[in-house]
Amino acid sequence: MLVQPIDYFLVAWFILAAASTVYVGIDQHRNNPEPAVMKWGFILVTLYMGPVGLLLYVLADKEPRPGEHEDFTRPLWKQGVGSTIHCVAGDATGIILAAVVTATLGLPMWLDLIVEYVSGFAFGLFIFQSLFMKSMMGGSYWENVRKSFLPEFISMNFMMAGMAPVMSFLMMGRDMRAMEPTELLFWGVMSIGVIAGFTLAYPANVWLVARGLKHGLMTQRRQTTGTSSREKSAHQPHGTGHNETSHSGKSSGHQMKTDATTPQVSALGIVSVIALAIGMAAPANWLNLTLSARDVGGVIMPRGMIMGRDTPAEAMRDMAAADPRRVTASYDLSAKGGQELPFRLENGVKVFELRPSVIRWQILPNVAVDAYAYNGQIPGPRIHIRQGDRVRINVTNDLPEETTVHWHGMILPNQMDGPAEITQAPIEPGQTYSYEFTATQHGTYFYHPHAKPDRTQALGLYGALIIDPANPADEIQADHDYVIELQEWLVRDGLTYPAMPMEGGMPNFFTINGKAYPSTDTIHMKVGETLKVRFIGTNNGFVHPMHIHGGPFEVAARDGETLAPSARFLADTINVGPGQRYDVVWKAQRPGKWLIHCHIPHHTTNNNVEEKGGGGLMVIIDVS
Ligand SMILES: [Cu+2]
């Protein structure tokens, strides 16, 4: 499933890469007169480098017109391309295969890089240089291994010096889907890595070819006028007097003569080792290379999150976006959260069912959140019971991570309280846990997860628990009753992150009952009527100073506890902190449109934009 713009680019890139590879493959085998090892080298490198590989092939190697390959490929820069292609085909194949295996095994990144280096070097040296080139070079297999060791070592060092930091920074960057071989992004990173490795290895290869230490491009033709089907291959002589040979497939081959001096080769070798060391180790200054694909593979981090070399995997998973691929249902703007949850009676016990899952929920006409939600609602369904009720709530976890439910403010048996790993084992995905208690209190309460609430409550897990008093006379009287559940959201690039007061975690959308103004409810009432507003701090991050226009309200209850008449007070703004509840009674004194809103003005915008006079935490009371 394509979830980010880069995914569309990658699809296009790999279609081009496939088309380029098919073209190079067909052209190589039909038209291009060169040894099979070079043909396969170009095919593999075009697969890895896509259109860039095709470009190199066309500019440096593809015979422009019949009979011209020898002259066409003679320039040193083209010989360098050939030598680098040859190196990259072997090394990159080894590196990529190792990367797939280490990611699957869940090895940490630092070990990953070492295995990749060894594998790339082994592939390049033992297979691509020594084995495939043996027929070209003549001599025994081990002679070839010995002769090609040093040039292969230098070339591989530069290759990995370019590829390792690209892999480290991009795989462990913001979008860590890049660590998973099952993701297109992983292969995109490999492509960029190979291109970077090629670029860094190219200058060294040019020099190695020029000094006769490595092979460049070769021409190998089936003789048309000869006496047999014997093949002739010609080594391009390049400026440095690289000797020309012919090759019959069973001759003793040829000796490359090098004019490179020991200090020259040693210096290049040392610099290649330094480049390799920097490429492998430097990323560890910024990235936690002790993590593996198992730890964080697949998660996408918010922009601006501080991720250093000591940031643990748990911290990354905590702040990662809700996975859009886990969404099991989508709801449009007309869907309402906080609906009263039906129950069934079993031996006098009111039995409720809660199922948290991942949904897509519309908070504005053009803004949807990927949310964790109870029963497909934001806020979760309202559990509305009466004081003295015996209730059982079966919680079945359909989330991709563990959860529990805490009944905030309730007096109940400790085992029913919800804190994960403190009073109960977390409810694992697919499991059910039953909470059962008798509601001895009455008033405004709520429920929320107590396993990773930093992440899962911020993604939408909360719901109101409204308990009517056993004695109706104890109810705070009003003509209208309206519950306000607050929430903060962080939505960027189409992804939803758990909003939190952390770098990169600041919210940019705010909702009352799952909608941002102007999509919030309008409360209709008449002059002289009273409205009871039950503010619930279901949000995680901020204290919201909730204000009502058009005259003061009386604060009648706090945290579910009804205030004695002498303790009640008038106010027009009340600070609703996370976890707090205030029941206030407001009287409509004049007709018109009066607002309930948060007094932090940023919280009455939608991503900093005001529409129809505001946004976010704002509700209109329409008094006639
Ligand atoms: Cu606010």
Side-chain angles (χ1 to χ4, degrees), residues 34 45 104 138 186 190 234 368 464 472 504 513 515 523 525 539 551 579 601:
E34 66 179 342
V45 169
T104 310
F186 173 92
M190 290 297 149
N513 300 339
K515 308 290 173 194
I523 301 164
M525 56 192 292
N539 56 299

Side-chain angles (χ1 to χ4, degrees), residues 59-118:
L59 292 187
D61 186 44
K62 175 183 159 56
E63 185 169 51
R65 278 160 293 272
E68 294 184 1
H69 193 257
E70 290 84 345
D71 285 340
F72 180 71
T73 57
R74 187 162 292 128
L76 180 59
W77 77 266
K78 294 179 184 177
Q79 293 294 316
V81 167
S83 168
T84 318
I85 289 282
H86 190 243
C87 153
V88 166
D91 299 352
T93 302
I95 292 170
I96 291 171
L97 287 177
V100 172
V101 172
T102 55
T104 310
L105 290 178
L107 300 185
M109 273 299 283
W110 67 268
L111 190 53
D112 203 342
L113 292 172
I114 292 170
V115 172
E116 284 163 17
Y117 177 82
V118 172

Side-chain angles (χ1 to χ4, degrees), residues 25-44:
I26 290 173
D27 193 71
Q28 278 285 19
H29 286 277
R30 285 209 183 138
N31 309 323
N32 213 39
E34 66 179 342
V37 63
M38 282 311 303
K39 291 182 177 181
W40 282 106
F42 267 102
I43 290 168
L44 279 176

